[in-house]
């Protein structure tokens, strides 16, 4: 489908308006942006600047009001409901601030869920789930329920769930907002390793300095506009540990 | 397949709530099947009694006879046609002559139907063998209800008065040879059975009859001049009508029961929308389509009914089986609207159709009740659902 050398996401003239009272509120005011395969990037900016809105559109959870968003070769605004679901199902992983694990499922079942939707055979599911749980260091908790896990562990399950189908892009919206520093660093390091190992594209939305230090590209969003877009040659904390 | 797997997971995960709902639903199954089984058992019993005591395999009536109009008795009789006569000869039919009379039990005067029947017949269960008794008077048998209302018992003699075909009055004594017990009031109340030959002599109607009862399985004759053939369906139509109207009355109970159970399911499902919207939003983010969400939630709700059926089977089957084997005692005469005295014991009847029908109806209703909120869930925007925005 998408050319692997083309951009994962290409946004041009992207405008998003929300109806509000009798008029509307413009959350994104003309975004031009490309995200290339394998990037470890993030949209940063103050609260209310439109980060979540932008990620939702890239993730085909929402549609542009104007302009275009082409993700993995598909024009988001033109997808039917089913096509959008299909795109998310196959190619997009989500990580949210609130983890959003399925509460009645075990850790294993949560991670398995996307593969069930993809109708993968049982053996393939099992292998992939166990592999991912090993990646996030939860091999010993596969039977636990989300309610029995700490916040950091929950977010690690969410990462495993997002990664288990080896998506084209993982969208992580404030993934550390509910975590302490240790856990934040832990999950970021895990995602960095995944990015290097699998070549998966990561795109964050964050205003957390701890996260920002890991990014290789920082897209500054202010009041619905991209005001700065810088690529860091050598992220400092990459190898520094902690 | 996937939807089934996920629905099962959701149910299992919900734990206690699932079991509570299923328990309520299982009571619903149990009550409906128990109650309907009782009614069905009683209906079947009432029908069988009427067939065995009165209708046999059908009847042939003299064309001027109308059971609802006693005045037709004067003309509604005639010689038994040859075809029926040969059946009577072979024991495959029994002639009945009916006349109006008056009798004087314990000094009171009461009008009565005199019914003549062949003492040797075995087509219907009237104990006509007792009519062979000889002691100078005419032997008679009456039903239990008749004996009770008139205060007659076996061995009692009573005066009977009648008008023969020429309009002349005459009177004689009959002796009660047997009181029989039947649940078919239509061969009991207000009538006295005496030997056919005696009644024919009394009425001066040799070889005549009002109707002929055919034995079961002997087949209906073709058309006969002056006589009309009445098939069992016609003869049972009033009792069948009654059964139908009763079952409509019973359905009100089922609707009420189902309503309660459905409220529980509906409540659970509606609560789910609000409590589980993040979860559902996440499922959408993970790529579930609206259709899949609707299917999953509908199935999840409907599966309660399957679980409930299993629970109901665990406690219901032993209980109902014992009931079906031992019978269910009811107070005497609590209900005689069938034209039949209520049996002191009813043997409930649980047909496969009743059980499967109940399961199916409950399954479909649960599915519908689950579908409605599921559709609402699926209509949410995933972005709003994930943030838990709705209400
Ligand atoms: N569904 C919506 N309806 C109305 N306004 C919205 C909606 N979603 C977001 N907004 C508004 O758009 C702006 C950007 O929101 P958001 O993308 O969530 O910002 P961020 O994630 O950077 O904090 C905010 O002012 C917010 O109130
Ligand atoms: Mg946000």
């Amino acid at each position: 489908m998408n050319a692997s050398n083309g951009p994962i996401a290409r946004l041009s003239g992207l405008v998003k308006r929300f109806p509000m009272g009798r008029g509307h509120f413009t959350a994104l005011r003309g975004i031009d942006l490309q995200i290339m395969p394998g990037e470890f990037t993030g949209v940063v900016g103050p609260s209310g600047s439109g980060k979540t809105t932008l990620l939702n559109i890239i993730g085909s959870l929402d549609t542009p009001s104007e302009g275009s968003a082409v993700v993995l070769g598909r024009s988001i605004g033109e997808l039917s409901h089913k096509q959008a679901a299909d795109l998310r199902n196959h190619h997009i992983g989500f990580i949210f601030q609130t983890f959003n694990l399925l509460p009645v499922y075990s850790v294993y079942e949560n991670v398995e869920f996307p593969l069930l939707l993809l109708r993968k055979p049982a053996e393939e599911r099992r292998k992939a789930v166990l592999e991912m749980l090993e990646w996030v260091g939860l091999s010993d908790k596969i039977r636990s329920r989300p309610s029995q896990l700490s916040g950091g562990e929950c977010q690690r399950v969410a990462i495993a769930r997002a990664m288990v189908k080896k998506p084209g892009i993982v969208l992580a919206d404030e993934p550390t907002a509910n975590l302490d520093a240790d856990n934040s660093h832990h999950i970021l390091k895990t995602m960095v390793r995944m990015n290097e190992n699998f070549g998966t594209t990561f795109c964050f939305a964050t205003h957390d300095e701890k996260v920002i230090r890991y990014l290789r590209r920082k897209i500054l969003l202010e009041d619905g506009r991209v005001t700065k877009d810088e690529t860091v040659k050598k992220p400092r904390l990459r190898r520094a540990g902690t | 397949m996937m939807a089934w797997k996920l629905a099962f997971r959701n149910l299992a995960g919900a734990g206690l709530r699932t079991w509570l709902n299923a328990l309520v639903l299982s009571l619903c199954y149990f009550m409906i099947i128990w109650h309907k089984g009782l009614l069905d058992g009683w209906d079947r019993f009432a029908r069988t009694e009427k067939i065995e005591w009165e209708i046999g395999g059908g009847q042939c009536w003299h064309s001027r006879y109308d059971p609802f109009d006693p005045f037709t008795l004067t003309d509604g009789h005639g010689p038994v046609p040859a075809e029926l006569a040969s059946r009577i000869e072979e024991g495959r039919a029994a002639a009945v002559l009916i006349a109006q009379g008056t009798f004087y039990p314990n000094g009171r005067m009461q009008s009565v139907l005199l019914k003549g029947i062949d003492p040797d017949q075995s087509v219907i269960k009237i104990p006509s063998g007792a009519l062979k008794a000889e002691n100078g008077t005419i032997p008679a048998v009456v039903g239990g209800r008749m004996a009770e209302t008139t205060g007659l018992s076996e061995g009692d003699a009573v005066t009977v008065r009648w008008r023969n075909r020429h309009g002349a009055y005459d009177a004689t004594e009959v002796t009660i040879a047997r009181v029989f017990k039947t649940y078919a009031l239509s061969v009991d109340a207000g009538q006295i059975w005496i030997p056919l030959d005696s009644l024919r002599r009394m009425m001066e109607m040799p070889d005549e009859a009002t109707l002929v009862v055919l034995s079961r399985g002997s087949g209906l004759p073709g058309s006969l001049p002056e006589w009309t053939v009445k098939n069992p369906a016609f003869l049972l139509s009033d009792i069948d009508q009654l059964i139908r109207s009763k079952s409509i009355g019973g359905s009100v109970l089922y609707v009420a029961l189902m309503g309660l159970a459905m409220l529980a399911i509906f409540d659970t499902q509606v609560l789910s929308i609000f409590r589980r919207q993040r979860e559902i939003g996440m499922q959408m983010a993970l790529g579930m389509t609206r259709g899949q969400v609707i299917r999953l939630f509908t199935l999840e709700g409907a599966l309660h009914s399957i679980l409930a059926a299993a629970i109901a089977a665990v406690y219901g089957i032993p209980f109902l089986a014992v009931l079906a084997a031992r019978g269910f005692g009811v107070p005497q005469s609590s209900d005689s609207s069938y034209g039949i005295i209520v049996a002191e014991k009813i043997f409930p009847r649980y047909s496969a159709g009743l059980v499967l029908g109940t399961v199916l109806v409950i399954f479909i209703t649960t599915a519908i009740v689950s579908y409605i909120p599921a559709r609402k869930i699926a209509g949410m925007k995933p972005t709003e659902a994930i943030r838990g925005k709705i209400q």
Side-chain angles (χ1 to χ4, degrees), chain B residues 70-356:
Chain B
F71 293 109
T72 61
L73 290 173
T74 335
D75 296 323
H77 56 85
V80 176
E83 183 182 349
L84 295 178
S86 65
R87 283 182 185 234
I88 293 168
E89 201 63 36
E90 292 159 18
R92 294 194 293 132
V96 176
L97 182 63
I98 306 174
Q100 244 198 324
T102 315
F103 80 138
Y104 302 87
N106 304 314
R108 284 179 294 143
M109 186 182 96
Q110 202 173 317
S111 95
V112 71
L113 281 183
L114 296 168
K115 290 191 172 177
I117 190 163
D118 180 1
D120 290 317
Q121 72 81 30
S122 58
V123 172
I124 47 177
K125 276 170 94 179
I126 304 291
S128 49
L131 299 176
K132 290 175 189 166
E134 294 274 358
N135 68 346
T137 62
I138 296 172
V141 294
V142 294
R145 173 63 64 98
M146 176 70 170
E148 197 183 311
T149 55
T150 56
L152 289 173
S153 51
E154 286 177 16
D156 289 354
V158 62
T159 305
V160 175
R161 206 163 75 101
W162 73 94
R163 261 173 101 175
N164 72 11
R165 74 182 317 158
H166 307 299
Y169 282 98
D170 202 348
T172 188
E173 288 258 289
V174 302
T175 305
I176 307 299
R178 176 77 49 86
V179 174
F180 58 85
K181 189 167 180 192
T182 178
Y183 297 107
L185 271 187
S186 46
V187 297
D188 182 336
Q191 47 201 285
I192 297 182
W193 296 82
I194 59 175
L196 181 59
D197 284 343
S198 306
L199 189 58
R200 281 175 170 168
R201 237 178 293 119
M202 287 152 66
M203 299 302 294
E204 296 183 22
M205 295 173 184
D207 301 322
E208 293 195 12
T210 306
L211 57 89
V212 173
V213 186
L214 307 169
S215 69
R216 269 175 292 161
S218 62
L220 297 172
S223 69
L224 303 160
E226 300 261 349
W227 289 69
T228 50
V229 180
K230 306 288 185 190
N231 61 20
F234 169 81
L235 295 165
L236 287 166
S237 61
D238 52 341
I239 200 167
D240 284 343
Q241 176 122 35
L242 210 77
I243 288 170
R244 261 195 303 280
S245 71
K246 279 220 158 189
S247 79
I248 291 167
S251 310
V252 174
L253 176 81
Y254 311 147
V255 169
L257 272 174
M258 295 272 287
L260 273 179
M262 291 309 137
L263 215 62
I265 301 288
F266 188 69
D267 203 48
T268 311
Q269 295 294 102
V270 169
L271 262 177
S272 293
I273 301 179
F274 303 113
R275 229 171 355 85
R276 292 169 70 180
Q277 54 179 307
R278 259 173 205 274
E279 182 186 339
I280 293 149
M282 191 61 215
Q283 288 173 339
M284 287 172 155
L286 289 169
M288 277 186 95
T289 62
R290 275 188 194 142
Q292 281 175 320
V293 171
I294 292 175
R295 269 201 297 285
L296 175 60
F297 272 74
T298 306
L299 196 60
E300 193 181 317
L303 277 178
H304 280 104
S305 69
I306 303 282
L307 193 60
I311 297 174
V314 168
Y315 65 81
I317 287 174
F319 188 87
L320 297 182
V322 167
L323 222 57
R326 297 233 186 112
F328 179 76
V330 288
Q332 263 284 3
S333 304
S334 63
D335 179 358
S336 57
S337 54
Y338 281 104
I340 288 183
I341 306 161
V342 165
E344 57 267 35
K345 251 188 181 180
I346 295 175
F347 290 87
R349 176 170 178 241
Y350 312 106
S351 62
L354 167 62
V355 174
L356 291 181

Side-chain angles (χ1 to χ4, degrees), chain A residues 47-48 50-53 97 173-174 205:
Chain A
S47 181
K51 305 182 294 292
T52 297
T53 306
Q97 170 181 343
D173 192 352
E174 314 272 8

